[in-house]
Amino acid sequence: MQDLIARLPKAELHVHLEGCLDPALMFALARRNGISLRWSSPDELRAAYRFDNLQSFLDLYYEGCRVLVTEQDFHDLTLQYLRQAHGDGVVRAEMFLGPQGLIERGVAIGTIMRGVLGAMRAATAECGISAGLLISAQRHRSAADALALLDQVLPWAEQITGFGMGGAEAGNPPSKFAGFFRECRSLGFPVTIHAGEEGPAAYIREAIDLLQVDRIDHGVACMSDPALVRDLVARGIPLTVCPLSNVRLKVVPSLAAHPLRAMLDSGLNVSVHSDDPPYFDGTIAENYRQCEHGLGLSVEQIATLARNSFAAAFMPPDDKARGCGAVDAWCAQASDCADFGPSRLRTGPTSH
Ligand code: HPA
Ligand code: ZN
């Protein structure tokens, strides 16, 4: 059965590599590295994926990272994600990697970078996917820690696409990291930050005015501040939204209550992404499908999300234009189907 959403060309701009560690791979790596887990099976671990908020997820996420030890582990994790993304119609993937907790546990930064970068090259050779790496600092750590991370990864500067920031948002405002972002930008890197996920709209304001970031990750809290929405629209600042993550972490009470549709209607440059796919039970294509179904998005709105993803990607203008052109071609094909309608996105006609 054809799946029009999986054939929609798209860019995944908000996905955490460590968050792609699914239960089966976590158990395989634990066995390979002689690490014991407190769950007896992948199914038991999956059953623990019930979160009250961002912190309850982060606790489990950091615990899972303990199985990542060798270069091969990072290679396997990265290649598995990129293959899955390719199957979901992702032609450009910009992946977050947060090395601080790994380094703290004694994993060498070279081990991590060689594993991830090698898998990115392998995936591109295998299926043509374009892959970029975003080094992410953790905001519960200090500003000095973030600057130290920057120094640690600079030997790989040529292979790093940009820098970001994730982790516990409340109480850790963007302003805490003004020096880090200034330094990243002065070195010529594009920058993005998680803001307005659990934190307030004021954090998004700080991120765009003080840090001068190129994108905002999540950003859903902007909808409580009309002046901020107007500025985000006027300045064309992209927001990488992760609807299923927002539902699972109780940022919104349900998918039906998610502001994605209102964000599109406001003219915001929003796009849809997966964040941590196995933890939130949804790859990027599944996020698109559930939004189409749950929010009643039109074909044109789905295409707008995909075009926005290319416009927001950290890649040259020609590549962005090629991505948008591929979305146009998808639209032409999709609307050729006489009975094409929102529900057809899930199981489209086989002749196209
Ligand atoms: N928010 C903040 N930090 C994160 C997330 C998230 O959704 N996923 C992985 N690290
Ligand atoms: Zn995230």
Side-chain angles (χ1 to χ4, degrees):
M1 198 131 31
Q2 295 287 345
D3 183 336
L4 288 170
I5 290 284
R7 287 190 292 135
L8 169 66
K10 53 182 84 63
E12 167 113 283
L13 308 178
H14 185 164
V15 61
H16 302 262
L17 270 177
E18 304 93 317
C20 295
L21 192 54
D22 63 85
L25 184 59
M26 197 187 295
F27 269 74
L29 298 188
R31 204 172 314 117
R32 188 157 91 187
N33 294 321
I35 292 167
S36 57
L37 296 171
R38 66 184 167 92
W39 305 278
S40 62
S41 67
D43 279 347
E44 195 182 307
L45 169 55
R46 202 171 288 109
Y49 289 175
R50 266 189 237 104
F51 310 113
D52 296 325
N53 51 34
L54 174 59
Q55 190 59 54
S56 64
F57 155 71
L58 289 171
D59 291 343
L60 200 68
Y61 169 92
Y62 294 140
E63 186 177 351
C65 289
R66 288 186 311 121
V67 304
L68 294 165
V69 179
T70 68
E71 183 177 325
Q72 189 68 45
D73 298 341
F74 291 97
H75 182 97
D76 293 351
L77 174 67
T78 307
L79 189 57
Q80 175 174 292
Y81 163 69
L82 287 170
R83 282 176 174 158
Q84 170 266 304
H86 173 67
D88 265 10
V90 172
V91 296
R92 167 72 176 174
E94 298 179 0
M95 308 166 294
F96 288 116
L97 171 71
Q100 287 165 304
L102 303 164
I103 294 169
E104 195 171 67
R105 278 198 350 264
V107 183
I109 186 64
T111 299
I112 303 168
M113 296 299 280
R114 280 192 299 275
V116 170
L117 292 167
M120 288 164 60
R121 285 191 294 273
T124 303
E126 182 180 292
C127 63
I129 192 168
S130 163
L133 185 62
L134 305 173
I135 299 296
S136 183
Q138 294 167 339
R139 66 202 310 156
H140 66 278
R141 298 175 190 271
S142 70
D145 286 344
L147 285 164
L149 172 65
L150 176 56
D151 276 345
Q152 283 166 313
V153 298
L154 277 186
W156 291 272
E158 292 301 315
Q159 295 159 84
I160 292 170
T161 297
F163 284 83
M165 173 159 286
E169 189 179 3
N172 294 300
S175 54
K176 176 177 164 187
F177 297 96
F180 169 69
F181 280 90
R182 194 180 319 114
E183 194 62 25
C184 291
R185 287 194 300 105
S186 77
L187 290 168
F189 290 106
V191 290
T192 180
I193 187 170
H194 285 54
E197 179 187 18
E198 276 195 350
Y203 283 14
I204 303 173
R205 172 61 72 189
E206 272 187 12
I208 61 170
D209 286 351
L210 187 65
L211 306 188
Q212 296 176 37
V213 293
D214 300 285
R215 318 198 274 247
I216 294 284
D217 298 306
H218 293 297
V220 289
C222 74
M223 297 307 277
S224 68
D225 181 344
L228 175 60
V229 170
R230 277 196 297 277
D231 278 5
L232 289 166
V233 172
R235 291 157 66 173
I237 297 172
L239 308 177
T240 65
V241 175
C242 306
L244 292 179
S245 165
N246 295 155
V247 173
R248 296 297 173 119
L249 299 188
K250 301 191 165 35
V251 169
V252 294
S254 66
L255 190 58
H258 196 283
L260 179 69
R261 206 190 157 106
M263 294 172 94
L264 275 167
D265 291 344
S266 305
L268 286 163
N269 180 333
V270 276
S271 50
V272 160
H273 310 279
S274 67
D275 214 1
D276 305 279
Y279 288 95
F280 306 139
D281 200 19
T283 65
I284 186 169
E286 190 56 23
N287 270 268
Y288 269 83
R289 283 186 203 104
Q290 292 201 25
C291 285
E292 176 260 318
H293 191 69
L295 297 173
L297 300 186
S298 67
V299 176
E300 198 37 60
Q301 284 171 316
I302 291 286
T304 297
L305 292 171
R307 279 192 206 94
N308 286 349
S309 74
F310 288 112
F314 295 150
M315 56 184 194
D318 283 0
D319 292 349
K320 292 181 193 231
R322 230 188 321 278
C324 290
V327 176
D328 293 343
W330 175 90
C331 277
Q333 261 201 350
S335 52
D336 270 357
C337 304
D339 54 354
F340 186 78
S343 64
R344 304 299 298 173
L345 287 171
R346 295 180 70 81
T347 52
T350 51
S351 56
H352 290 272

